Amino acid sequence: MGIFNRKDNADTATAAAAAVSPDLAALTGEYTIDPTHSTIGFVARHAMVTNVKGKFLDFSGSLHLDGGDPSASTAALDIKMDSIDTGSADRDGHLKSADFFKTEEFPTMTFRSTKAEALGGDDYRITGDLEILGTTKSITIDLEFNGAAKDPFGNERVGFEGKAEILRSEWGLTWNAALETGGVLVSDKIKLNFDISAIRNA
């Protein structure tokens, strides 16, 4: 059973408002994302033939979950751009430079949700504003609710997996290099992936 009540039609919406499942209602609250058990990553096509994967090691975030009304749920993320890690120090340095993220001038990437929806089952969708290099654009993230549990230390946790696709050029990330065989070194389309574990606030 998912974390939010479904709203497949007007009848189910009315029924949900009249009687919220106690199990779902119990998950309503404020949560802090646990960065040690969460991953915010990305995938870019390199030289038209392979994928380069990376992630950010330093980030923080919060969730407000509403077990009865998904539209009342919110999410926020703050990501330190200097923490980018692709497994190559040279590549990471290039990504931090003026060719890409300009991390000295723009040290943080942020996401603030503007809309949340239940799609049925354990599938959800969250829309929000992603700011990179001082430019803000709307993105949509498809989420799967992985469940809720109490860990051995007494923390109440919820988990989500998410994915989205963006065109980096829309945020001014336009650096590239042409290949002799045609095409470019780095794809414009970037795949984002999220594996989130969040702890309920005391």
Side-chain angles (χ1 to χ4, degrees), residues 103-190:
T103 57
E104 290 188 4
E105 184 179 357
F106 301 99
T108 306
M109 172 170 59
T110 64
F111 174 81
R112 298 291 184 268
S113 67
T114 57
K115 182 180 181 181
E117 305 168 84
L119 303 180
D122 288 327
D123 295 327
Y124 303 89
R125 180 170 291 152
I126 189 164
T127 302
D129 293 330
L130 179 66
E131 181 180 338
I132 308 172
L133 297 177
T135 297
T136 301
K137 298 284 185 180
S138 180
I139 70 167
T140 298
I141 303 170
D142 289 325
L143 293 170
E144 180 180 359
F145 175 55
N146 286 340
K150 182 173 286 189
D151 68 23
F153 305 100
N155 298 311
E156 295 181 40
R157 292 181 178 268
V158 293
F160 294 89
E161 289 182 67
K163 59 184 179 180
E165 292 185 354
I166 65 172
L167 297 178
R168 62 186 177 92
S169 59
E170 294 186 353
W171 284 265
L173 293 162
T174 57
W175 183 92
N176 229 320
L179 301 175
E180 290 184 6
T181 54
V184 292
L185 185 64
V186 184
S187 62
D188 189 20
K189 183 170 71 174
I190 305 296

Side-chain angles (χ1 to χ4, degrees), residues 53-131:
K53 298 180 180 180
K55 59 186 176 180
F56 296 95
L57 303 179
D58 187 358
F59 56 88
S60 60
S62 61
L63 306 175
H64 168 73
L65 303 182
D66 191 308
D69 180 6
S71 66
S73 298
T74 60
L77 275 172
D78 294 278
I79 301 165
K80 300 299 184 183
M81 302 307 289
D82 261 339
S83 72
I84 196 167
D85 178 15
T86 65
S88 166
D90 288 344
R91 181 166 54 223
D92 294 344
H94 191 199
L95 289 170
K96 296 174 188 179
S97 76
D99 284 342
F100 285 95
F101 290 119
K102 305 177 184 178
T103 57
E104 290 188 4
E105 184 179 357
F106 301 99
T108 306
M109 172 170 59
T110 64
F111 174 81
R112 298 291 184 268
S113 67
T114 57
K115 182 180 181 181
E117 305 168 84
L119 303 180
D122 288 327
D123 295 327
Y124 303 89
R125 180 170 291 152
I126 189 164
T127 302
D129 293 330
L130 179 66
E131 181 180 338

Side-chain angles (χ1 to χ4, degrees), residues 34 37-41 59 146 159-162 193-197:
D34 176 8
H37 295 94
S38 301
T39 302
I40 298 175
F59 56 88
N146 286 340
F160 294 89
E161 289 182 67
N193 52 75
F194 308 84
D195 196 346
I196 300 297
S197 178

